[in-house]
């Protein structure tokens, strides 16, 4: 069996047409896009501006509202720190959702250190933002709220429009990390009414090392990288021209193929979901049952540890990802990374068993045959791991779990 | 063998073909330990005759390194006296596995602890019996 790749939420392969569009910008059109008065600079400059247009089109923004950065992480940093710093005269309180990506959550300590107050808003068992908790935690001093558009670990799509509507009534800035959604499902920043949104192409068959930030016209934002005057003064540093060109191309293709992709992914993931539910007992699906990313199936299986499951799937040619801290931080220098996934703890999965979670994120090139392969190997792997699990042994003998569901 | 990121071939071999996996009915000693940080649980069963470990089996709920550590530990202690077995450190377990990544050292600690707890259990049973 050739490798089955079910980990598109972490990276997608670069589309061949995308790669082809990037190539000339390494050797032939290598000039610095800031050297606009000479032909060598003018060509890449035009290419960057064309890509900017494509990305603006993808999310229904206008061209001068799109800023290029080096990654979704940088976009999230530019948005949160940039909005906070530019608006500190209005208040000091910032709210993050409990399930934000580390590139948001891990800004908390820094922001606290420079005088901001950070608080976290709860999500419900499906990973949906708890609006009541948001209302409770809002004070006059609140200037900014950050809620991701979709969570890549559990697939849930957040009610961004509804949250924005509420925040606008209170004149509060709103950032949303759209790394999981832009290019995958239709996104219209005007309709969603966000002030800033992160866009990242390596989730939709574009290159890594490039991302964008939508900044709504008129919104004040302080740059966090100082240097030259690239990107309308919001982000210094010579643009990564080939990657930007690839980003633009990937955005264009995503626009054209989105409906087709969504339809296929929905079909495949439905089969995967139903197949797992009928062949494995004590399996719990995570995330929202309907409002979720197409092609995303996430779950945890009782009495089975996630890293072991992931390793066995890998040995059976299937690439997936696990919420198990044990697997995601294998390369950590020490054990500091062994905490249970904050996303799973936030949706109420008992911390001692968070480690059993797996996410399958499908992509446009996956096939039904690959889904069937996964379904055919899963029960055997689960049985094997349960046979060696002391937790399962105890459960079989006593009917008692070591944790509360 | 397919490369498995940070794990040595020995770790992968024990993960895929664990030695002595299972339970011992009427074991002379049982040790169960868990690591609250990673959630892993290891259970060790020993059969002891005349102060010698004649059989050892394990059950583990845990990561690849934890399963491999349990497996190799059972191999290392079989045929040893209790005193000899007690001298096996987690470093020795990790070394026998061809090394473990830094964040995974504690998986071998779990094996060392399970062994200690099992032997304590044995001593307790003997004392009261
Ligand atoms: S990660 Fe905890 S025992 Fe391996």
């Amino acid at each position: 069996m050739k490798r089955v790749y079910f980990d598109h939420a972490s990276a997608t392969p670069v589309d061949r047409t995308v790669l082809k569009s990037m190539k000339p910008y390494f050797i032939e059109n290598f000039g610095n896009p800031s050297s606009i008065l000479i032909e060598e600079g003018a060509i890449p400059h035009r290419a960057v501006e064309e890509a900017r247009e494509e990305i603006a089109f993808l999310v229904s923004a206008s061209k001068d509202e799109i800023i290029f950065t080096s990654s979704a992480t940088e976009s999230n940093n530019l948005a949160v720190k940039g909005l906070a710093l530019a608006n500190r005269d209005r208040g000091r309180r910032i709210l993050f959702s409990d399930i934000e990506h580390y590139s948001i959550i891990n800004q908390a300590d820094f922001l606290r250190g420079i005088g901001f107050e950070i608080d976290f808003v709860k999500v419900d068992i499906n990973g949906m933002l708890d609006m009541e908790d948001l209302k409770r935690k809002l004070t006059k001093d609140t200037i900014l709220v950050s809620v991701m558009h979709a969570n890549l670990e559990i697939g849930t799509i957040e009610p961004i429009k509804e949250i924005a509507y509420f925040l606008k009534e209170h004149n509060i800035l709103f950032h949303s990390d759209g790394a999981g959604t832009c290019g995958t499902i239709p996104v219209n920043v005007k309709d969603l009414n966000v002030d800033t949104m992160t866009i990242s192409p390596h989730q939709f068959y574009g290159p890594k090392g490039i991302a964008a930030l939508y900044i709504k016209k008129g919104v004040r934002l302080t740059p966090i990288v100082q240097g030259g005057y690239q990107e309308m003064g919001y982000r210094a540093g010579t643009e990564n021209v080939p990657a930007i060109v690839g980003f633009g191309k990937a955005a264009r293709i995503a626009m054209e193929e989105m409906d087709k992709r969504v339809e296929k992914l929905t079909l495949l993931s439905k089969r995967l979901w139903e197949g797992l539910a009928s062949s494995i007992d004590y399996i719990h699906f995570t995330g929202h049952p309907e409002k979720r990313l197409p092609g995303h199936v996430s779950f945890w299986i009782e009495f089975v540890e996630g890293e072991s499951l992931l390793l066995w799937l890998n040995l059976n040619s299937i690439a997936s990802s696990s919420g198990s801290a044990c697997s995601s931080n294998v390369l950590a220098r020490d054990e500091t990374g062994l905490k249970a996934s904050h996303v799973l703890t936030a949706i109420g999965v008992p911390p001692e068993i968070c480690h059993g979670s797996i996410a399958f994120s499908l992509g446009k090139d996956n096939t039904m045959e690959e889904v069937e392969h996964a379904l055919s190997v899963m029960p055997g792997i689960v049985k094997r791991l349960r046979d060696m699990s002391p937790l399962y042994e105890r459960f079989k003998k006593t009917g008692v779990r070591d944790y509360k569901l | 063998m397919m490369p498995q990121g940070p794990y040595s071939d020995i770790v992968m071999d024990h993960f895929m073909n664990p030695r002595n996996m299972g339970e011992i009915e009427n074991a002379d000693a049982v040790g169960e330990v868990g690591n609250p940080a990673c959630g892993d649980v290891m259970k060790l069963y020993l059969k002891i005759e005349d102060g010698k470990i004649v059989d050892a089996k394990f059950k583990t709920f845990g990561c690849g390194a934890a399963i491999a550590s349990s497996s190799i530990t059972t191999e290392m202690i079989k045929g040893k006296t209790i005193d000899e077995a007690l001298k096996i450190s987690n470093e020795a377990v990790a070394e026998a596995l061809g090394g473990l990544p830094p964040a995974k050292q504690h998986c071998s600690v779990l094996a060392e602890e399970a062994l200690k707890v099992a032997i304590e259990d044995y001593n307790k049973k003997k004392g009261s019996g």
Side-chain angles (χ1 to χ4, degrees):
Chain A
M1 182 89 198
K2 79 176 208 315
R3 298 281 303 165
V4 176
Y5 186 74
F6 281 173
D7 196 16
H8 292 80
S10 70
T12 51
V14 173
D15 191 288
R16 281 179 202 289
T17 335
V18 168
L19 179 64
K20 216 170 125 216
S21 73
M22 293 168 66
K23 274 190 178 157
Y25 294 90
F26 284 104
I27 296 175
E28 289 150 44
N29 305 320
F30 61 87
N32 191 319
S34 293
S35 311
I36 194 169
L37 293 180
I38 54 173
E39 188 61 9
E40 285 77 3
I43 293 171
H45 175 80
R46 269 199 301 275
V48 167
E49 294 315 308
E50 270 164 30
R52 201 187 303 279
E53 224 159 282
E54 296 285 13
I55 293 145
F57 189 58
L58 178 72
V59 297
S60 303
S62 68
K63 201 178 148 235
D64 52 0
E65 293 174 313
I66 300 294
I67 301 302
F68 290 113
T69 66
S70 67
S71 58
T73 291
E74 190 192 325
S75 290
N76 281 337
N77 272 266
L78 175 58
V80 170
K81 291 197 178 84
L83 292 172
L85 291 172
N87 295 279
R88 63 199 308 176
D89 51 330
R90 290 177 39 214
R92 291 296 172 103
R93 188 169 158 81
I94 300 173
L95 301 177
F96 296 157
S97 95
D98 255 346
I99 57 169
E100 294 299 281
H101 186 258
Y102 285 127
S103 58
I104 299 281
I105 288 204
N106 286 345
Q107 294 187 61
D109 284 345
F110 173 83
L111 289 164
R112 282 194 189 106
I114 57 169
F116 287 93
E117 181 190 307
I118 311 294
D119 206 349
F120 291 89
V121 182
K122 286 204 201 80
V123 295
D124 67 13
I125 188 166
N126 293 326
M128 279 281 181
L129 193 84
D130 181 339
M131 288 299 284
E132 292 310 310
D133 196 46
L134 174 65
K135 287 173 193 168
R136 264 196 301 277
K137 288 186 172 145
L138 219 62
T139 64
K140 277 214 178 60
D141 209 30
T142 309
I143 50 169
L144 170 65
V145 173
S146 175
V147 180
M148 66 191 347
H149 196 183
N151 184 286
L152 290 166
E153 209 172 313
I154 55 171
T156 301
I157 300 174
E158 300 294 333
I160 295 301
K161 198 171 162 177
E162 189 188 330
I163 301 168
Y165 180 79
F166 170 73
L167 292 176
K168 288 304 131 193
E169 281 190 328
H170 293 81
N171 199 20
I172 291 165
L173 291 160
F174 186 26
H175 169 66
S176 183
D177 175 359
T181 52
C182 297
T184 300
I185 57 170
V187 173
N188 180 326
V189 288
K190 297 280 156 1
D191 184 46
L192 292 177
N193 209 359
V194 291
D195 293 296
T196 50
M197 180 171 254
T198 292
I199 310 162
S200 169
H202 79 254
Q203 252 99 19
F204 57 92
Y205 313 96
K208 301 172 193 64
I210 188 72
L213 182 66
Y214 158 75
I215 306 172
K216 187 196 208 154
K217 220 171 274 163
V219 166
R220 278 194 294 155
L221 187 144
T222 304
I224 56 170
V225 177
Q226 276 76 39
Y229 295 94
Q230 291 90 351
E231 295 304 296
M232 300 165 237
Y234 283 116
R235 199 266 186 183
T238 300
E239 288 92 345
N240 183 351
V241 180
I244 288 173
V245 170
F247 187 174
K249 188 75 181 170
R252 157 68 45 180
I253 303 174
M255 283 294 277
E256 289 165 0
E257 294 186 356
M258 195 173 288
D259 293 349
K260 219 174 67 200
R261 288 180 187 174
V262 170
E263 196 185 325
K264 179 179 176 186
L265 290 174
T266 310
L267 198 77
L268 292 181
S269 53
K270 184 164 176 276
R271 169 70 190 130
L272 190 51
W273 183 306
E274 287 169 357
L276 289 171
S278 64
S279 63
I280 293 168
D281 53 1
Y282 309 112
I283 183 170
H284 304 260
F285 292 92
T286 55
H288 198 283
E290 287 114 37
K291 294 190 178 102
R292 54 187 302 111
L293 289 169
H296 192 288
V297 178
S298 52
F299 52 88
W300 59 276
I301 299 176
E302 289 190 61
F303 322 112
V304 171
E305 195 273 339
E307 183 194 286
S308 290
L309 185 51
L310 178 134
L311 288 172
W312 269 114
L313 285 166
N314 188 42
L315 289 165
N316 282 280
S317 303
I318 300 165
S320 61
S321 78
S322 165
S324 163
C326 302
S327 63
S328 49
N329 294 306
V330 172
L331 293 176
R333 270 168 286 127
D334 50 32
E335 290 170 37
T336 45
L338 286 177
K339 280 188 299 204
S341 148
H342 69 285
V343 176
L344 297 169
T345 338
I347 59 171
V349 180
E352 57 272 53
I353 45 178
C354 279
H355 305 289
S357 89
I358 290 281
F360 285 147
S361 45
L362 277 53
K364 66 182 179 69
D365 297 324
N366 284 131
T367 61
M368 198 51 102
E369 198 194 336
E370 293 174 331
V371 168
E372 295 302 338
H373 171 62
L375 288 174
S376 72
V377 301
M378 277 290 285
I381 297 176
V382 169
K383 177 174 183 319
R384 178 180 192 114
L385 290 170
R386 277 186 181 157
D387 280 349
M388 69 163 76
S389 167
L391 306 181
Y392 190 53
E393 174 193 314
R394 187 145 51 236
F395 177 71
K396 270 191 319 192
K397 281 183 188 153
T398 63
V400 180
R401 291 177 166 85
D402 292 39
Y403 44 86
K404 261 230 298 291
L405 276 187
Chain B
M1 196 183 306
M2 200 189 316
Q4 291 284 339
Y7 288 143
S8 74
D9 286 354
I10 310 177
V11 171
M12 283 315 291
D13 181 34
H14 278 268
F15 172 73
M16 287 158 61
N17 312 297
R19 331 286 201 257
N20 308 309
M21 199 280 287
E23 298 167 54
I24 299 180
E25 297 258 350
N26 305 320
D28 298 305
V30 180
E32 182 176 317
V33 288
N35 179 328
C38 67
D40 292 358
V41 179
M42 201 179 279
K43 193 167 179 182
L44 196 61
Y45 302 82
L46 303 179
K47 191 101 209 133
I48 300 175
E49 278 166 20
D50 302 328
K52 221 184 199 164
I53 300 172
V54 293
D55 198 10
K57 284 202 187 312
F58 80 91
K59 281 208 169 177
T60 293
F61 166 89
C63 70
I67 290 172
S69 296
S70 337
S71 166
I72 207 157
T73 302
T74 56
E75 284 209 314
M76 288 164 81
I77 58 176
K78 267 208 224 172
K80 288 215 164 56
T81 65
I82 291 178
D83 288 341
E84 284 165 349
L86 276 174
K87 285 200 194 97
I88 295 174
S89 64
N90 78 292
E91 282 99 351
V93 172
E95 203 185 296
L97 286 172
L100 286 172
K104 294 290 185 172
Q105 291 298 334
H106 78 278
C107 314
S108 60
V109 174
L110 213 53
E112 184 191 319
E113 282 173 356
L115 179 61
K116 294 222 163 92
V117 172
I119 291 175
E120 253 168 52
D121 178 56
Y122 176 69
N123 289 336
K124 228 189 293 161
K125 277 184 188 148
K126 230 180 42 185
S128 65

